[in-house]
Amino acid sequence: MLAAQETLAQQTSLERVEITGSAIRRVDAETALPVVVIQRADIERSGATSVVDLMQRLPAIQGSTGESASVGGETFGFSGISVHDLGESRTLVLLNGHRMAIFGGQTLTGFAAGFDLNALPIAAIERVEVLTDGASALYGSDAVAGVVNFITKRGTTEGQVSVGYSSPKGGAKETRFSVTKGIGDLDKDGWNILGSYAHDERTLLRSTSRDYASTGRVFFSANGKNYRFQQYSASPIPANVVDDNGNLVNPYLITNGNCPEKTFRVIDGSDDFCGFDFVGELEIFPIRKRDAGFLSFTMNLGAHQAYADLLMSQSKQTSRIAPVPGSIAIPTTSPLFSQYLAPIGITQDTVAFYRLYDLGKRTSSDKADFMDFVAGIKGTVFKNWDYDAFYTHSQSKAASNVSGYPGALAISNLRKSGLLNPFVLAGQQTPAANAAIAAVNYNGYWNGGKSTLDTLNLRGSTELAKLPAGPLALAAGVNYNREKFQSAPSLFAQGLLADPVAGTLCDPNATSGPTQCDQRFGDAAATVPYSADRKNWGVFAELQIPIIKDLEVTLSARHDNYSDFGNTDNGKAAFRWKLSPQALIRGSVGTGFHAPTVPQVAAAPQPFGVTSDKYTCSAGLAAVAAANGAECRPGSQQYDVVAGGNPLLKPETSRQATIGFRVEPASWLSAGADFWWVAVKDVFGTLPEQSVFLDPTAYPGSWTSALDVGTGKRYVAFNAGNLNLGKSYSSGIDFDISSRTKTPFGGLDMKFNATYMLREVAQQVINGPYYSAIGDYGDNVGGVTFRVQGRASAALKTGAFTNTLAMNFKSGYKDATTTVEVLDAAGNVTGTEDVRIDVPWHYTFDWQTQWEMNKTFTFTIGALNLFNRKPPFAVSTGGVNRGQQFGYDDRYYDSRGRTWYVNATARF
């Protein structure tokens, strides 16, 4: 027995099973491809309370979007999975071997264009098979990085009820409940129905509950010096304004000599203003509620078996960030000008950058509904053909409701009416002003989308002949897919309302007056709705050839036809050579492809939020602003982003290879390693904002302009359209060691898994230089790839008790270059300096004790991050798919800290 896959063969006796990555059913489950199998016992011992948490514990998983990304990002609560940091859209997720609809909240740039793991209830999962090699020759598009196949419980009459509670300090507490029951014995009755339901809820976690995440003003030491860095927004309360010299100043600071609460003083060149500490307002882990139900039906029909599965789930997530910032025009004719600005020497019309604090926090309430239905029949025909014919319908629908967002014109009108005063402290607006502010708060549906997938599939396998070295086996199949996507922005998101709260339609041609179109204050939006569909069909064949005894070669090929970009052919060759009962080597070479999503091709150009980082107006930025008939934003601020689909976008194509071995030098020890290599051509993407802002004139096509409807100012904007950027190359080694032995204290089961990244480079433009993110959060990559990730665990079973201790680890990296303030011994600022700090290795330990009281009851208690290790300090602020958290990187580290949990299970 050489690997976890052979456990499947043991469990099913001599039943033929189909392993992820091959369509040929076989008894010997150790295939030519590297497949990691996570059994139900492994899931329970991991302490994971959701599929999202379970997948993030795997060493081969990097670059996945987590739930915390919704803090300041329009993610609709999406959580995905990425194998080897190759991307969620290149990792194919299956349920019981069939495709599912990708997320309905996917964006037009390809973000969240994968499967949302929140849709799957962990209580219904029997095992997970993770293929860490490309499989486009079998599955088609999206399988460039690998395949993750979730296999549900079925065919059992057992019942199980589980309850659980998790309790980190300060928030993010979870309660959960699940029940599963089957009726009907397949062998005796000829049929079985199994149902499962799961519910879980989580409370919020505020940034102020974690000292390392509670403020944007941090002090640290590096390189023998003391530094300070201030992460802020240039829109505070009371407001900053632009003076006659174009500098950003704060009237409250000038009058009182200090900045008010929730702000700190910022001196940046000639700018001297108050920065708002929005970090202290964040809820760094969102509120969540999930419900999922799974129903399966199986009936024996002689040599055939009919089946149908239905999965329905709903995930609700609520995230809150600081009250909305925005710009307000202050003309010289305004009484506010005479009272606050003229006394400090301002003589011209100006703009106030203001935080509408009295409106309350911005809230996004996201809901994702998922449904997947499959019906089919499988069995044996013509004596030795195993076949499976099935139809699937799958859909994902995402919707976001918001509050705390007024219209920009509504706020401008409040200023003109004399009710709103942006120059007083929080809580000092008049009662009439507070009532007026509350009256313009938009509280309702904002945006969403729906993705559907319908498929027809027929596949089969057989042994063609008995050769001296073994059976010659063939698998073949055909499929037809229809994919649809419909974006569904609200009228407010489309910029088609004159009064967002009342729902009054506007006149798009009006430039003033009560029918002028309003847009969201501080975050302009004129989203263009669109819909599109795609059809494709494919045919594949796979041939398993025994060359000599214990050496077999597998050849596979696939042809696909897409309605929107034509034909593609891909192939794969793999070998498996069992050198002895204790040793095996295996390898593969193949090609793959990844089709662009429907939105990446068909979406119309439109506003797409703001940059992830703040930028000052360099000479180059001023030049491109002037070329676009616009101007820079004063001070250091975020800039508007515009994006759209690209009908000329070509599919990504890939080449990949693996070579590996497995050895079992003793009956109690098994080990293996697999080298993998992936090359991708015509990589989808948008130019990294950091690169474009670093050298604005080098990217003339990356700029446009956006009008601020509240002030009438036209500012330069970043044009982040979809492009084929060039090539990427990735390679690494996946290791695993496992052992089972008896000790005087009981049976000891130990496992070690790790991934070592050898290479990861990518171009940002065709024929351009290559950049690497391995251990290096460079200025041009927007993130980091960890050189090493791993997990080691030891489980000791003593009688009715099983005690498990696990260590999770990941290597350190160089943080992004950041300009910080240098402090002298007295704490005074002496200048600025660009620094890159070293983020150290990070280790956490998990502990669990499971008590099998009897055949009916099991009680589990444990702690994740047992020693309460804090995320390592990082001073970088930008990055791809990052939330607004600061002081650590929420994409890579969990802010929940030590989490005690308890689970109780009853079987019946």
mmCIF file with all atom_site columns, all heavy atoms in Angstrom, residues 402-414:
data_model
loop_
_atom_site.group_PDB
_atom_site.id
_atom_site.type_symbol
_atom_site.label_atom_id
_atom_site.label_alt_id
_atom_site.label_comp_id
_atom_site.label_asym_id
_atom_site.label_entity_id
_atom_site.label_seq_id
_atom_site.pdbx_PDB_ins_code
_atom_site.Cartn_x
_atom_site.Cartn_y
_atom_site.Cartn_z
_atom_site.occupancy
_atom_site.B_iso_or_equiv
_atom_site.pdbx_formal_charge
_atom_site.auth_seq_id
_atom_site.auth_comp_id
_atom_site.auth_asym_id
_atom_site.auth_atom_id
_atom_site.pdbx_PDB_model_num
ATOM 1  N N   . VAL A 1 402 ? -26.718 47.359 0.787  1.00 0.00 ? 402 VAL A N   1
ATOM 2  C CA  . VAL A 1 402 ? -25.804 48.277 1.462  1.00 0.00 ? 402 VAL A CA  1
ATOM 3  C C   . VAL A 1 402 ? -26.590 49.312 2.263  1.00 0.00 ? 402 VAL A C   1
ATOM 4  O O   . VAL A 1 402 ? -27.772 49.573 2.001  1.00 0.00 ? 402 VAL A O   1
ATOM 5  C CB  . VAL A 1 402 ? -24.870 48.997 0.463  1.00 0.00 ? 402 VAL A CB  1
ATOM 6  C CG1 . VAL A 1 402 ? -24.022 47.999 -0.304 1.00 0.00 ? 402 VAL A CG1 1
ATOM 7  C CG2 . VAL A 1 402 ? -25.666 49.883 -0.505 1.00 0.00 ? 402 VAL A CG2 1
ATOM 8  N N   . SER A 1 403 ? -25.917 49.888 3.228  1.00 0.00 ? 403 SER A N   1
ATOM 9  C CA  . SER A 1 403 ? -26.426 51.060 3.936  1.00 0.00 ? 403 SER A CA  1
ATOM 10 C C   . SER A 1 403 ? -25.225 51.920 4.326  1.00 0.00 ? 403 SER A C   1
ATOM 11 O O   . SER A 1 403 ? -24.084 51.449 4.341  1.00 0.00 ? 403 SER A O   1
ATOM 12 C CB  . SER A 1 403 ? -27.230 50.663 5.178  1.00 0.00 ? 403 SER A CB  1
ATOM 13 O OG  . SER A 1 403 ? -26.403 50.043 6.134  1.00 0.00 ? 403 SER A OG  1
ATOM 14 N N   . GLY A 1 404 ? -25.495 53.184 4.625  1.00 0.00 ? 404 GLY A N   1
ATOM 15 C CA  . GLY A 1 404 ? -24.406 54.099 4.937  1.00 0.00 ? 404 GLY A CA  1
ATOM 16 C C   . GLY A 1 404 ? -23.850 54.800 3.717  1.00 0.00 ? 404 GLY A C   1
ATOM 17 O O   . GLY A 1 404 ? -22.792 55.415 3.789  1.00 0.00 ? 404 GLY A O   1
ATOM 18 N N   . TYR A 1 405 ? -24.547 54.684 2.581  1.00 0.00 ? 405 TYR A N   1
ATOM 19 C CA  . TYR A 1 405 ? -24.096 55.306 1.333  1.00 0.00 ? 405 TYR A CA  1
ATOM 20 C C   . TYR A 1 405 ? -25.165 56.275 0.822  1.00 0.00 ? 405 TYR A C   1
ATOM 21 O O   . TYR A 1 405 ? -26.176 55.843 0.270  1.00 0.00 ? 405 TYR A O   1
ATOM 22 C CB  . TYR A 1 405 ? -23.845 54.260 0.264  1.00 0.00 ? 405 TYR A CB  1
ATOM 23 C CG  . TYR A 1 405 ? -22.658 53.370 0.512  1.00 0.00 ? 405 TYR A CG  1
ATOM 24 C CD1 . TYR A 1 405 ? -22.808 52.148 1.149  1.00 0.00 ? 405 TYR A CD1 1
ATOM 25 C CD2 . TYR A 1 405 ? -21.387 53.744 0.090  1.00 0.00 ? 405 TYR A CD2 1
ATOM 26 C CE1 . TYR A 1 405 ? -21.723 51.315 1.363  1.00 0.00 ? 405 TYR A CE1 1
ATOM 27 C CE2 . TYR A 1 405 ? -20.292 52.918 0.294  1.00 0.00 ? 405 TYR A CE2 1
ATOM 28 C CZ  . TYR A 1 405 ? -20.472 51.713 0.939  1.00 0.00 ? 405 TYR A CZ  1
ATOM 29 O OH  . TYR A 1 405 ? -19.393 50.892 1.144  1.00 0.00 ? 405 TYR A OH  1
ATOM 30 N N   . PRO A 1 406 ? -24.971 57.565 0.957  1.00 0.00 ? 406 PRO A N   1
ATOM 31 C CA  . PRO A 1 406 ? -25.902 58.529 0.349  1.00 0.00 ? 406 PRO A CA  1
ATOM 32 C C   . PRO A 1 406 ? -25.463 58.861 -1.070 1.00 0.00 ? 406 PRO A C   1
ATOM 33 O O   . PRO A 1 406 ? -24.403 58.427 -1.532 1.00 0.00 ? 406 PRO A O   1
ATOM 34 C CB  . PRO A 1 406 ? -25.751 59.753 1.251  1.00 0.00 ? 406 PRO A CB  1
ATOM 35 C CG  . PRO A 1 406 ? -24.315 59.691 1.685  1.00 0.00 ? 406 PRO A CG  1
ATOM 36 C CD  . PRO A 1 406 ? -23.954 58.225 1.789  1.00 0.00 ? 406 PRO A CD  1
ATOM 37 N N   . GLY A 1 407 ? -26.284 59.621 -1.764 1.00 0.00 ? 407 GLY A N   1
ATOM 38 C CA  . GLY A 1 407 ? -25.899 60.121 -3.071 1.00 0.00 ? 407 GLY A CA  1
ATOM 39 C C   . GLY A 1 407 ? -24.998 61.338 -2.935 1.00 0.00 ? 407 GLY A C   1
ATOM 40 O O   . GLY A 1 407 ? -25.121 62.117 -1.982 1.00 0.00 ? 407 GLY A O   1
ATOM 41 N N   . ALA A 1 408 ? -24.076 61.505 -3.894 1.00 0.00 ? 408 ALA A N   1
ATOM 42 C CA  . ALA A 1 408 ? -23.155 62.640 -3.845 1.00 0.00 ? 408 ALA A CA  1
ATOM 43 C C   . ALA A 1 408 ? -23.891 63.961 -4.014 1.00 0.00 ? 408 ALA A C   1
ATOM 44 O O   . ALA A 1 408 ? -23.595 64.961 -3.334 1.00 0.00 ? 408 ALA A O   1
ATOM 45 C CB  . ALA A 1 408 ? -22.090 62.495 -4.922 1.00 0.00 ? 408 ALA A CB  1
ATOM 46 N N   . LEU A 1 409 ? -24.882 63.995 -4.930 1.00 0.00 ? 409 LEU A N   1
ATOM 47 C CA  . LEU A 1 409 ? -25.648 65.232 -5.111 1.00 0.00 ? 409 LEU A CA  1
ATOM 48 C C   . LEU A 1 409 ? -26.507 65.520 -3.891 1.00 0.00 ? 409 LEU A C   1
ATOM 49 O O   . LEU A 1 409 ? -26.707 66.695 -3.526 1.00 0.00 ? 409 LEU A O   1
ATOM 50 C CB  . LEU A 1 409 ? -26.530 65.124 -6.358 1.00 0.00 ? 409 LEU A CB  1
ATOM 51 C CG  . LEU A 1 409 ? -25.793 65.120 -7.707 1.00 0.00 ? 409 LEU A CG  1
ATOM 52 C CD1 . LEU A 1 409 ? -26.792 64.932 -8.843 1.00 0.00 ? 409 LEU A CD1 1
ATOM 53 C CD2 . LEU A 1 409 ? -25.024 66.436 -7.890 1.00 0.00 ? 409 LEU A CD2 1
ATOM 54 N N   . ALA A 1 410 ? -27.000 64.460 -3.236 1.00 0.00 ? 410 ALA A N   1
ATOM 55 C CA  . ALA A 1 410 ? -27.799 64.660 -2.030 1.00 0.00 ? 410 ALA A CA  1
ATOM 56 C C   . ALA A 1 410 ? -26.978 65.341 -0.946 1.00 0.00 ? 410 ALA A C   1
ATOM 57 O O   . ALA A 1 410 ? -27.461 66.240 -0.241 1.00 0.00 ? 410 ALA A O   1
ATOM 58 C CB  . ALA A 1 410 ? -28.344 63.320 -1.541 1.00 0.00 ? 410 ALA A CB  1
ATOM 59 N N   . ILE A 1 411 ? -25.718 64.933 -0.797 1.00 0.00 ? 411 ILE A N   1
ATOM 60 C CA  . ILE A 1 411 ? -24.847 65.558 0.204  1.00 0.00 ? 411 ILE A CA  1
ATOM 61 C C   . ILE A 1 411 ? -24.500 66.987 -0.211 1.00 0.00 ? 411 ILE A C   1
ATOM 62 O O   . ILE A 1 411 ? -24.456 67.899 0.626  1.00 0.00 ? 411 ILE A O   1
ATOM 63 C CB  . ILE A 1 411 ? -23.581 64.714 0.403  1.00 0.00 ? 411 ILE A CB  1
ATOM 64 C CG1 . ILE A 1 411 ? -23.953 63.347 0.971  1.00 0.00 ? 411 ILE A CG1 1
ATOM 65 C CG2 . ILE A 1 411 ? -22.589 65.421 1.317  1.00 0.00 ? 411 ILE A CG2 1
ATOM 66 C CD1 . ILE A 1 411 ? -24.676 63.400 2.304  1.00 0.00 ? 411 ILE A CD1 1
ATOM 67 N N   . SER A 1 412 ? -24.270 67.195 -1.495 1.00 0.00 ? 412 SER A N   1
ATOM 68 C CA  . SER A 1 412 ? -23.998 68.556 -1.973 1.00 0.00 ? 412 SER A CA  1
ATOM 69 C C   . SER A 1 412 ? -25.178 69.468 -1.697 1.00 0.00 ? 412 SER A C   1
ATOM 70 O O   . SER A 1 412 ? -25.006 70.628 -1.276 1.00 0.00 ? 412 SER A O   1
ATOM 71 C CB  . SER A 1 412 ? -23.698 68.510 -3.477 1.00 0.00 ? 412 SER A CB  1
ATOM 72 O OG  . SER A 1 412 ? -23.509 69.809 -3.999 1.00 0.00 ? 412 SER A OG  1
ATOM 73 N N   . ASN A 1 413 ? -26.392 68.952 -1.882 1.00 0.00 ? 413 ASN A N   1
ATOM 74 C CA  . ASN A 1 413 ? -27.586 69.763 -1.610 1.00 0.00 ? 413 ASN A CA  1
ATOM 75 C C   . ASN A 1 413 ? -27.743 70.060 -0.122 1.00 0.00 ? 413 ASN A C   1
ATOM 76 O O   . ASN A 1 413 ? -28.235 71.132 0.263  1.00 0.00 ? 413 ASN A O   1
ATOM 77 C CB  . ASN A 1 413 ? -28.827 69.060 -2.143 1.00 0.00 ? 413 ASN A CB  1
ATOM 78 C CG  . ASN A 1 413 ? -28.867 69.024 -3.661 1.00 0.00 ? 413 ASN A CG  1
ATOM 79 O OD1 . ASN A 1 413 ? -28.290 69.881 -4.333 1.00 0.00 ? 413 ASN A OD1 1
ATOM 80 N ND2 . ASN A 1 413 ? -29.537 68.022 -4.225 1.00 0.00 ? 413 ASN A ND2 1
ATOM 81 N N   . LEU A 1 414 ? -27.323 69.111 0.718  1.00 0.00 ? 414 LEU A N   1
ATOM 82 C CA  . LEU A 1 414 ? -27.377 69.377 2.162  1.00 0.00 ? 414 LEU A CA  1
ATOM 83 C C   . LEU A 1 414 ? -26.419 70.501 2.536  1.00 0.00 ? 414 LEU A C   1
ATOM 84 O O   . LEU A 1 414 ? -26.721 71.327 3.410  1.00 0.00 ? 414 LEU A O   1
ATOM 85 C CB  . LEU A 1 414 ? -27.029 68.108 2.946  1.00 0.00 ? 414 LEU A CB  1
ATOM 86 C CG  . LEU A 1 414 ? -28.094 67.009 3.025  1.00 0.00 ? 414 LEU A CG  1
ATOM 87 C CD1 . LEU A 1 414 ? -27.610 65.874 3.923  1.00 0.00 ? 414 LEU A CD1 1
ATOM 88 C CD2 . LEU A 1 414 ? -29.402 67.568 3.566  1.00 0.00 ? 414 LEU A CD2 1
#
